[in-house]
Amino acid sequence: QVQVVESGGGLVQAGGSLRLSCTASGLSFEDYRMGWFRQAPGKEREGVSCISQKGSNTYYADSVKGRFTISRDNAKITLNLQMNSLNPEDTAIYYCAADRATVTISDYCRGRHSDYWGQGTQVTVSS
């Protein structure tokens, strides 16, 4: 059984930083592209950042470019999202996802499908 589990969410003041982590079991982690998606209240889920299987290709939504950094460690079966300069618009539930799609990393991240999803972790940024 595949399990995807996020950690690291919380409450932070505007301008602060948070680091989200994700681990996956029950699948060959290195065979999956991974992504972070988020959903704010009243909004559709959107792709934040995604990374290819070996980490050579990444995608960032325009709203987070220059502030967020995605990384993965296949040996440790871990996906990370370093979030800096957070603002209240970043408040959302953040989901980790794993997928074996063959589309480009940007198409994967801009879409809403993924093979597996975590349960989500809340990130709240106060002004």
Side-chain angles (χ1 to χ4, degrees), residues 7 20 24 37 60 79 110:
S7 61
L20 303 183
F37 297 75
Y60 294 94
L79 175 75
R110 286 196 292 259

CSV table of all heavy atoms in Angstrom, one decimal, residues 7 20 24 37 60 79 110:
chain,number,residue,atom,x,y,z
A,7,SER,N,5.1,16.6,6.3
A,7,SER,CA,5.3,17.2,7.6
A,7,SER,C,5.9,18.6,7.5
A,7,SER,O,6.4,18.9,6.4
A,7,SER,CB,6.3,16.3,8.4
A,7,SER,OG,7.5,16.2,7.8
A,20,LEU,N,8.9,22.2,4.3
A,20,LEU,CA,8.0,21.1,4.3
A,20,LEU,C,8.8,19.9,3.8
A,20,LEU,O,9.7,20.0,3.0
A,20,LEU,CB,6.9,21.3,3.3
A,20,LEU,CG,6.0,22.5,3.6
A,20,LEU,CD1,4.8,22.5,2.5
A,20,LEU,CD2,5.4,22.5,5.0
A,24,ALA,N,7.6,8.9,1.1
A,24,ALA,CA,6.6,8.0,0.5
A,24,ALA,C,7.1,6.5,0.7
A,24,ALA,O,8.3,6.2,0.6
A,24,ALA,CB,6.5,8.3,-1.0
A,37,PHE,N,1.6,20.6,-4.2
A,37,PHE,CA,0.4,21.3,-4.6
A,37,PHE,C,-0.2,22.0,-3.4
A,37,PHE,O,0.0,21.6,-2.3
A,37,PHE,CB,-0.6,20.4,-5.3
A,37,PHE,CG,0.0,19.7,-6.5
A,37,PHE,CD1,0.9,18.7,-6.5
A,37,PHE,CD2,-0.5,20.1,-7.8
A,37,PHE,CE1,1.4,18.1,-7.6
A,37,PHE,CE2,0.0,19.5,-9.0
A,37,PHE,CZ,0.9,18.5,-8.9
A,60,TYR,N,8.4,25.8,-11.1
A,60,TYR,CA,7.8,26.6,-10.0
A,60,TYR,C,6.7,27.4,-10.6
A,60,TYR,O,6.8,28.0,-11.7
A,60,TYR,CB,8.9,27.5,-9.5
A,60,TYR,CG,10.0,26.8,-8.7
A,60,TYR,CD1,11.2,26.5,-9.4
A,60,TYR,CD2,9.9,26.5,-7.4
A,60,TYR,CE1,12.2,25.8,-8.8
A,60,TYR,CE2,10.9,25.8,-6.7
A,60,TYR,CZ,12.1,25.5,-7.4
A,60,TYR,OH,13.1,24.8,-6.8
A,79,LEU,N,11.3,14.3,0.0
A,79,LEU,CA,11.1,15.4,-0.9
A,79,LEU,C,10.9,16.6,0.1
A,79,LEU,O,10.3,16.5,1.1
A,79,LEU,CB,9.8,15.3,-1.7
A,79,LEU,CG,9.3,16.5,-2.5
A,79,LEU,CD1,10.2,16.6,-3.7
A,79,LEU,CD2,7.9,16.3,-2.9
A,110,ARG,N,1.2,21.8,-13.7
A,110,ARG,CA,0.0,22.7,-14.0
A,110,ARG,C,-1.3,21.9,-14.0
A,110,ARG,O,-2.3,22.5,-14.0
A,110,ARG,CB,0.3,23.4,-15.3
A,110,ARG,CG,1.3,24.6,-15.1
A,110,ARG,CD,1.2,25.5,-16.3
A,110,ARG,NE,1.6,24.9,-17.6
A,110,ARG,CZ,2.8,25.1,-18.1
A,110,ARG,NH1,3.7,25.9,-17.5
A,110,ARG,NH2,3.1,24.5,-19.3
